[in-house]
Structure formats: structure tokens, C-alpha cells
Amino acid sequence: VQLQASGGGLVQSGGSLRLSCTASGRSFSTYHMGWFRRAPGMEREFVAGISWTDYTDYAESVKGRYTISRDNAKNTVYLQMNSLKIEDTAVYYCAAAVFRATTALQYRYWGQGTQVTVSS
């Protein structure tokens, strides 16, 4: 599975962005998909995940602001980010896992990152 993330950019605090991650290869609908982020000088952290049955997990820091969704017909997973804060600035990565997962080690496939910068 190859993953291609897009949609990052520069946005003001309080604004919104939607990230997309499109997968190539078969069986996308059977993978558990996730988003992670890495801020400068920080460890990579889990942001959100969605199972093939649309069960979702979120990091506490983004609950109520971010929404993960998937369109299996388009082999794409989305991350809608609202009410963005300066501390949301990071490189965001999409990833695929065989099972429901919230840690990076459990994810098998990774896309390249997309930069999200939130300004004041």
C-alpha cells in the first residue's frame, strides 16, 4: 500500500484545513487508517484513527475539533481540522495498519508528511 497525503498549508489560528490521504493498492477498505503528527523537537504522536467499520479514535488534544473519515470508493481517508491552534503546527502523516491501532509501531505503511502551520 502506498499512501499520498495532501492538503497541508498555512492557516490562521481558529481556521480550518482538510487533509487527504489517498492509497494505492488493493484492500484499502480493510485497513485501519490513522493520522499522526510530529511537531518540531517533539516525538511523533497519534492524532486520529478510523477502522474499516468507521470506528474512530482521537487524541484528547484534538477531540471535538478534528474529524477523521474515509471514502473506501476513493481509497481516501480525510482529516478535517477545525478551530486550529498554534500548537497544532506539525508535519502530519497518514498511515495504515492491519488492526485498530493508536501507536506508531502498530502501523505498517506510511505516507510522506504534509506540513500544517497555524499562525497567530
Side-chain angles (χ1 to χ4, degrees), residues 44-90:
R44 181 171 47 186
E45 64 173 351
F46 173 78
V47 174
I50 185 167
S51 73
W52 64 277
T53 58
D54 288 340
Y55 186 88
T56 57
D57 293 292
Y58 293 95
E60 285 297 323
S61 59
V62 306
K63 276 183 180 178
R65 301 189 298 120
Y66 288 16
T67 302
I68 188 171
S69 61
R70 66 192 297 163
D71 185 338
N72 290 331
K74 296 182 178 180
N75 279 11
T76 301
V77 60
Y78 304 97
L79 186 68
Q80 178 66 44
M81 306 183 295
N82 299 328
S83 303
L84 282 162
K85 305 175 181 180
I86 293 175
E87 52 264 40
D88 294 320
T89 296

Side-chain angles (χ1 to χ4, degrees), residues 32-36 46 48-51 57 96-108:
H32 185 92
M33 300 299 297
W35 287 96
F36 288 75
F46 173 78
I50 185 167
S51 73
D57 293 292
V98 176
F99 302 105
R100 179 185 170 199
T102 59
T103 62
L105 287 176
Q106 295 172 296
Y107 282 80
R108 180 177 297 182

Side-chain angles (χ1 to χ4, degrees), residues 14-29:
S16 298
L17 278 176
R18 188 176 81 156
L19 305 183
S20 299
C21 176
T22 300
S24 62
R26 299 182 296 177
S27 304
F28 169 81
S29 63

